[in-house]
Amino acid sequence: MADKSTFTPDEWNLLLESVMIAGIAVTAADPSGLWGMLKEGMASSRTLLKAKTDAGADPLISALVSDFETSEGRSAAREGLQAKLKGSKPDEVKTKCIAALQQAADLVSAKAPDAAGAYKAWLYQISVNVAEAAKEGGFLGFGGVEVSDAEKATLAEISTALKLDPSKS
């Protein structure tokens, strides 16, 4: 059973960052204004809350959510994310986020293979929930599409980076 003790402090921080990065990659692919960004941020939070209340959640996911609930966990994730993205141009943010997701997925696959499938599927679900949170291309809430082409392409990149089976994502 994988938990925080399975990983070094730096590795654990990467896993904490990945929770935020999964949503940021999609938001960076097709920014949808202030209201859209708020909706996308709330979608990511709802996914965390759902994992917290899921009695059948994978122990690694439960440990991440528990640590993310602490100010220390959130600070570690935020500081690591700021360091990763510092000085990035807007078009580089998505690329860096996807690379970090791949690094986190590879780490879990190597150190906690029993938890890897659930962990990677969970990160992907965060990304999907963020993509579906706000319509793209509309005006004042009218028109637009639920998931833009840029978001769909980013979801495909995330699926590839996480090495998910395309028929299941």
Side-chain angles (χ1 to χ4, degrees):
M1 179 172 74
D3 61 12
K4 189 173 183 174
S5 66
T6 307
F7 303 92
T8 68
D10 287 342
E11 291 169 341
W12 186 252
N13 286 343
L14 172 64
L15 300 186
L16 284 173
E17 293 163 21
S18 71
V19 174
M20 295 173 69
I21 287 172
I24 290 171
V26 175
T27 299
D30 195 3
S32 40
L34 179 61
W35 184 245
M37 287 176 63
L38 288 171
K39 285 182 174 182
E40 290 172 349
M42 290 185 327
S44 188
S45 297
R46 279 192 303 272
T47 307
L48 287 171
L49 182 60
K50 183 178 177 185
K52 177 184 176 183
T53 59
D54 181 2
D58 181 85
L60 176 60
I61 293 170
S62 295
L64 282 164
V65 171
S66 292
D67 207 18
F68 210 84
E69 288 182 309
T70 68
S71 60
E72 295 85 10
R74 285 189 307 276
S75 292
R78 192 172 33 253
E79 290 167 10
L81 186 58
Q82 287 172 343
K84 270 187 183 47
L85 301 178
K86 184 177 181 175
S88 298
K89 294 180 171 78
D91 58 335
E92 296 171 331
V93 170
K94 180 187 87 160
T95 303
K96 287 183 176 183
C97 286
I98 291 172
L101 286 173
Q102 183 171 359
Q103 183 184 5
D106 290 346
L107 173 65
V108 173
S109 291
K111 292 192 92 170
D114 292 345
Y119 168 76
K120 294 187 292 187
W122 181 61
L123 290 181
Y124 185 74
Q125 190 58 54
I126 292 170
S127 300
V128 168
N129 291 351
V130 168
E132 293 174 346
K135 284 190 173 185
E136 308 296 333
F139 179 72
L140 296 176
F142 299 100
V145 294
E146 185 173 353
V147 180
S148 72
D149 289 341
E151 289 173 330
K152 288 177 186 175
T154 301
L155 289 172
E157 289 178 66
I158 290 169
S159 178
T160 300
L162 296 174
K163 296 176 179 78
L164 295 173
D165 180 350
S167 66
K168 295 181 182 177
S169 51

